Amino acid sequence: MTLSRAQPGSFRDPHGFVFLRDGEIFRQVNKVHLAAYTLLTDSGLYKTLVDEGLLLEHRPAPLSHSLTDEAALILKPDLVPFISYPFEWCFGQLRDAALATLRIQKLALDHGLSLRDASAFNIQFYNGRPVLIDLTSLGIYPVGQPWVAYRQFCQHFLAPLALTSYHDLRVGRLSASYLDGIPLDLASSLLPWHSRVRPGLLTHIHLHAKARSADGRTKADHSGSRSFSERSMRGLVESLISTVGRLSCRLPKDGWVTYEAGKVVYEKSAAEHKVVLVRDLVEKHHPQVVWDLGANTGEYSAIAAEVADLVISLDYDAATIERSYARLTDSALRNVLPLVSDLTNPTPALGWANRERSSLSQRGPADLGLALALVHHLAIGANIPFEQIAEYFSQVCRALIIEFVPKSDSMVHKLLAFREDIFTGYSEQHFEESFGRWFSIEERHSLPDSQRIIYFMKRR
Amino acid sequence: MWRTRAFFILFLAPVLLIGLAAPASAYLDPGSTSYLFQLAIGAILGLSLGIRAFWDRLRMMAARLFRRG
């Protein structure tokens, strides 16, 4: 039996939507969009965008797959294996997504088209680079009209980038509270006074936020007067490119970003053995999708990526993900996606009816999870009992490589240095009992010159 | 007095005089303020494009000149 349903996050645009049919993703392009789609393909823009890696490739599919009578054609896009959201991206990822959006708009104008929206949710990371997934965003250029997506671009991209640049990497999470982008007046009030010195921010955030219509909302004039030239449109795009390009973020000089996995708390032999052991375990079990939980700057994500099709590299510390992304951009690795995610407060389901944007666990489970040098931070640092950690991990991973860190370890000493030790249940035995309820413990390896233990487990 | 007139002519009049055209095939609400704001800064944006293009050409010419030297 054919099971088709529209994707929960794809419903606002009457020009088309994405749906699932028998486990495969399709895009319905409605009749109202046919002229724009024809121009997209005939003008060469589609080929240019796909060749530059800016648009997902779409292949024709049978019209009989359509969900409604409005369908003009059905397309099958390349599958994005893991959906991520702008509030999970680091500064570098959001900046690259912004620049990709502007590059797409620039190319679109060269071919007589223009983006009908500039939502950050239209961009996904595919093979490590930002790509437009919403083909129906590209419409026929409306001659003489301002860019309909200008405010959305400023709220979705420019405002959070500017706030992160001027304040702190952690500010990026504010986007989770404002799914349609950070309101410009809020961004303007939060940015420091000296941000007005930059003409781009002065124009696109501060003055834009303060702009008021001269006599309130006016009725639309349907005469289509040529009031905003293409030259002005191109000037707007270039100004936004320049403004985004000049923003940068500063990494903190201390904290987790300076902790390179293995170099701080391990003897050399233990660190080397751990790398070999994890590599061997990943190769032996050959997972397709790996989630590296508490990944820091991604050393073990890179090891897993040698074997897996896709590695999602998660850490709550935005600075470590920033460094991880910067390293990946300079490397040949295309199958690692670093994301900012706090395991003690993972992304919930958000948006309309809490269904538009999936929670982190809804996007799993992974074939294999890596929980290396992590569990003591959850159990002691965040006071989460082993039983609950085990239960949650069993929901997000089918198998697990997990490191138990005993109380005798120097890192646990640090965690307990200024607090009362209430963790009477924190022991190797209790760890094995708790995880044994949800997983079958298949391998156990002690690290030389260390009291840490690496386990391999499979979900029951 | 003349400064107020100049300000009106340069900035406010274009906004008041030019009618809003309905955005074609746009499900997204551009916001009337963003729409009008773009109209108000349109001329400056067009000018900035020209200046940017001029500086880019100047930089390319200078680079060629120094390469030959």
Side-chain angles (χ1 to χ4, degrees), chain A residues 247-265:
Chain A
L247 292 172
S248 61
C249 68
R250 283 181 308 277
L251 293 185
K253 290 190 174 50
D254 52 19
W256 283 112
V257 73
T258 60
Y259 167 99
E260 290 269 69
K263 294 187 176 67
V264 173
V265 295

Side-chain angles (χ1 to χ4, degrees), chain A residues 181-447:
Chain A
I182 298 174
L184 294 180
D185 59 328
L186 178 62
S188 178
S189 69
L190 291 174
L191 282 168
W193 193 94
H194 60 86
S195 65
R196 288 161 173 78
V197 168
R198 293 199 188 189
L201 294 181
L202 173 65
T203 306
H204 303 303
I205 303 271
H206 295 294
L207 292 179
H208 192 180
K210 286 187 167 30
R212 293 281 182 269
S213 48
D215 54 348
R217 239 180 195 282
T218 60
K219 248 187 183 172
D221 174 9
H222 294 274
S223 63
S225 60
R226 292 173 183 270
S227 49
F228 195 75
S229 69
E230 187 178 329
R231 189 176 182 79
S232 298
M233 174 74 87
R234 288 181 184 276
L236 177 65
V237 174
E238 291 297 335
S239 175
L240 288 168
I241 291 173
S242 167
T243 307
V244 169
R246 285 171 206 267
L247 292 172
S248 61
C249 68
R250 283 181 308 277
L251 293 185
K253 290 190 174 50
D254 52 19
W256 283 112
V257 73
T258 60
Y259 167 99
E260 290 269 69
K263 294 187 176 67
V264 173
V265 295
Y266 297 90
E267 295 291 334
K268 193 163 177 257
S269 56
E272 286 171 353
H273 190 89
K274 182 175 165 183
V275 168
V276 169
L277 180 59
V278 170
R279 180 179 274 119
D280 286 349
L281 284 170
V282 175
E283 279 176 1
K284 187 170 159 183
H285 297 282
H286 215 95
Q288 284 184 303
V289 178
V290 175
W291 285 15
D292 187 357
L293 308 170
N296 194 261
T297 53
E299 181 185 348
Y300 288 94
S301 297
I303 290 170
E306 293 167 9
V307 173
D309 294 337
L310 177 67
V311 179
I312 307 301
S313 190
L314 300 164
D315 204 287
Y316 86 98
D317 189 290
T320 60
I321 297 299
E322 203 66 55
R323 173 145 306 153
S324 184
Y325 180 68
R327 281 183 180 162
L328 286 165
T329 306
D330 290 337
S331 79
L333 270 183
R334 288 287 167 259
N335 60 338
V336 180
L337 177 60
L339 295 173
V340 183
S341 189
D342 182 353
L343 282 176
T344 65
N345 181 23
T347 314
L350 291 170
W352 170 249
N354 290 128
R355 288 207 308 252
E356 268 187 276
R357 313 296 170 199
S358 307
S359 69
L360 183 66
S361 45
Q362 283 173 322
R363 286 174 272 163
D367 297 314
L368 176 70
L370 302 182
L372 304 170
L374 172 67
V375 78
H376 51 306
H377 292 291
L378 295 176
I380 295 176
N383 289 43
I384 302 173
F386 279 149
E387 295 86 353
Q388 294 196 34
I389 299 171
E391 184 183 0
Y392 180 65
F393 282 3
S394 74
Q395 288 169 6
V396 297
C397 310
R398 295 192 180 93
L400 192 58
I401 298 174
I402 183 165
E403 182 173 5
F404 174 71
V405 182
K407 269 193 183 175
S408 52
D409 188 272
S410 59
M411 186 55 88
V412 178
H413 284 167
K414 267 192 199 164
L415 290 173
L416 292 171
F418 290 97
R419 57 185 300 187
E420 186 187 343
D421 184 356
I422 57 171
F423 307 97
T424 51
Y426 189 97
S427 69
E428 187 185 324
Q429 183 188 348
H430 189 214
F431 173 84
E432 289 186 7
E433 279 168 7
S434 303
F435 275 79
R437 284 185 56 199
W438 299 94
F439 292 88
S440 151
I441 298 175
E442 300 202 348
E443 294 184 46
R444 183 183 180 285
H445 304 267
S446 298
L447 292 180

Side-chain angles (χ1 to χ4, degrees), chain B residues 16-58:
Chain B
L16 292 172
L17 289 173
I18 294 166
L20 277 176
S25 72
Y27 76 98
L28 187 65
D29 175 10
S32 59
T33 54
S34 287
Y35 204 91
L36 288 171
F37 183 68
Q38 288 179 80
L39 296 179
I41 64 172
I44 300 168
L45 292 169
L47 191 64
S48 72
L49 187 71
I51 293 170
R52 224 181 281 270
F54 171 74
W55 276 115
D56 286 343
R57 269 200 302 274
L58 209 63

